[in-house]
Amino acid sequence: MSLIRMLADFLSLKKGMIFVYVLNTVLLLFLSYVFYDVDDIMYPLLVSSFILFIYLVIAGAGYFKVYVKLQDCKSSPQIELDESKVLDKLLFGKINEIHEQYNTRIYELKSSVKERNTLFSQWIHNMKGSVSIIDLASEQGSQQAMEDIQEENGKLMANLEECLNMLRLDDFSRDYLPERVNLHRVATRAINARKKDFIYQGVYPKVEIDEALFVYTDEKWCGYMLEQVLSNAVKYSRREGLVTVRSEMKGDRVLLTVQDNGIGICLEELPRVFDPFFTGRNGREDRSATGIGLYMVKYIAQRLGHGVSMESHKGAGSMFTISFLAKM
């Protein structure tokens, strides 16, 4: 910005004060002339003008300093404050807060993008492996090759479905409707959605939830979380096993547990069950495992304000718990 433009902006900023000062000076000179017969107005006029000039110089210097600091705000993440000046503390203190908030947000976005890129890179790698196996199997044309193709095709479909679910999370904030939800209804619908899994695995569901129990959550996303947990419970249950979904009041919280009597998880693997793509020993034996389901459950639960935890013992089954705020 040119000096002339800066001066014009400064005078425009101070025009109200200059007008009042000039009006006050003229009024005082007029009253002095009328009531006190003061004929010499040049001296007080010069003194008044000099005082105005000194004020404008000092104020202009302050305006210039503020202007320079404002220009620095464009590139500097933090502006040094002059604690002795109220304007500095009010204006630049708030600008520093805004800078800090935006820097935090930018860091979170970068971390999210980096994590997302890692996830999709892993998915692409997984699917490339399936495509390679299908390609080799198709050249053989044997019965075993067709079974391999069918198995790998199932893995491709599972990976693609998980990709779609991850992309849907981008719309989470626009697709989140917290409301009073009947927990028994949500659990029943989730079990019905996984009915084929229960039938194919020969596992039986059991619901022990009060039909009059309500919680504060988003019904669609809560149902999605339960489906993921139930899918894991069924997958690692023994044939003719039982998956129990029950509720329990604990203070102002409602604990929803999904318990199975399946193969369980090693104690040393428990802290990592919510990590993306972690499948553990059980997942390595089940080639359809993607290691993304529980990661997404925790991701959604955190944004819904729910707590999630898991207990398990090798050979004695697992118990997954979701903690809700009761809404009575």
Side-chain angles (χ1 to χ4, degrees):
M1 183 184 292
S2 66
L3 182 61
I4 295 177
R5 180 56 186 272
M6 190 184 300
L7 180 61
D9 287 346
F10 170 70
L11 292 176
S12 176
L13 180 66
K14 296 293 183 180
K15 64 183 179 183
M17 190 281 302
I18 294 173
F19 174 77
V20 172
Y21 185 85
V22 171
L23 182 64
N24 180 68
T25 301
V26 171
L27 182 62
L28 288 175
L29 291 175
F30 175 75
L31 292 176
S32 298
Y33 176 76
V34 172
F35 293 105
Y36 298 102
D37 297 325
V38 177
D39 296 329
D40 185 13
I41 63 171
M42 289 304 297
Y43 178 73
L45 185 60
L46 288 172
V47 171
S48 180
S49 299
F50 178 74
I51 292 173
L52 177 61
F53 175 75
I54 294 300
Y55 166 78
L56 290 176
V57 169
I58 295 173
Y63 174 81
F64 178 75
K65 290 181 180 178
V66 171
Y67 174 79
V68 171
K69 276 193 172 183
L70 286 173
Q71 292 298 109
D72 290 341
C73 287
K74 295 179 180 179
S75 57
S76 176
Q78 198 74 13
I79 303 298
E80 185 177 351
L81 300 181
D82 187 345
E83 296 293 338
S84 64
K85 296 181 179 179
V86 176
L87 180 62
D88 260 34
K89 290 193 292 184
L90 290 178
L91 178 59
F92 295 108
K94 183 56 67 176
I95 289 175
N96 284 342
E97 289 180 17
I98 294 172
H99 267 303
E100 186 174 347
Q101 291 172 3
Y102 271 96
N103 286 334
T104 301
R105 181 60 179 156
I106 289 171
Y107 175 77
E108 290 174 352
L109 287 173
K110 286 183 177 179
S111 299
S112 177
V113 170
K114 183 178 180 181
E115 182 180 17
R116 182 66 57 85
N117 288 341
T118 301
L119 290 173
F120 278 100
S121 295
Q122 183 64 43
W123 264 315
I124 291 170
H125 176 75
N126 290 346
M127 287 188 283
K128 282 178 65 179
S130 294
V131 170
S132 298
I133 293 174
I134 289 174
D135 185 53
L136 291 172
S138 62
E139 292 178 359
Q140 296 178 8
S142 63
Q143 179 62 33
Q144 180 61 46
M146 296 304 297
E147 292 177 3
D148 290 341
I149 289 174
Q150 187 176 13
E151 180 181 354
E152 295 303 323
N153 186 60
K155 290 173 63 178
L156 276 174
M157 291 177 64
N159 276 286
L160 288 171
E161 183 64 28
E162 294 296 352
C163 283
L164 289 174
N165 289 334
M166 180 61 71
L167 290 172
R168 291 186 187 112
L169 294 181
D170 289 336
D171 296 326
F172 185 87
S173 60
R174 296 191 294 271
D175 195 22
Y176 168 45
L177 181 63
E179 58 184 344
R180 190 169 181 261
V181 173
N182 184 284
L183 194 57
H184 186 276
R185 182 180 63 198
V186 175
T188 303
R189 286 180 178 177
I191 290 172
N192 288 335
R194 292 290 173 178
K195 184 186 298 184
K196 288 183 179 179
D197 293 351
F198 280 99
I199 294 173
Y200 292 155
Q201 293 292 116
V203 178
Y204 301 96
K206 183 179 181 182
V207 180
E208 297 179 353
I209 302 175
D210 185 350
E211 294 186 11
L213 181 61
F214 287 83
V215 295
Y216 193 62
T217 186
D218 178 274
E219 186 166 357
K220 186 186 79 172
W221 288 108
C222 181
Y224 174 80
M225 286 193 300
L226 271 176
E227 285 184 38
Q228 295 298 314
V229 175
L230 287 169
S231 176
N232 269 17
V234 172
K235 185 185 298 182
Y236 298 116
S237 287
R238 295 184 175 89
R239 196 158 187 84
E240 304 298 325
L242 182 68
V243 173
T244 305
V245 184
R246 65 168 61 92
S247 64
E248 174 189 354
M249 289 294 303
K250 193 171 185 180
D252 63 343
R253 310 289 294 187
V254 174
L255 303 184
L256 178 68
T257 60
V258 178
Q259 187 168 10
D260 64 72
N261 55 358
I263 58 179
I265 302 172
C266 296
L267 186 62
E268 62 270 19
E269 291 183 350
L270 269 178
R272 300 180 60 193
V273 294
F274 296 108
D275 292 348
F277 296 108
F278 178 75
T279 56
R281 293 187 180 91
N282 296 339
R284 294 188 188 98
E285 294 175 5
D286 183 352
R287 297 183 63 191
S288 66
T290 62
I292 202 68
L294 292 184
Y295 163 78
M296 295 182 69
V297 168
K298 187 172 184 179
Y299 179 96
I300 295 170
Q302 288 176 337
R303 280 148 184 79
L304 291 175
H306 304 330
V308 292
S309 62
M310 188 170 183
E311 299 177 18
S312 185
H313 298 281
K314 190 65 176 176
S318 303
M319 182 172 71
F320 191 95
T321 303
I322 304 176
S323 171
F324 302 88
L325 265 177
K327 184 69 174 180
M328 301 298 183

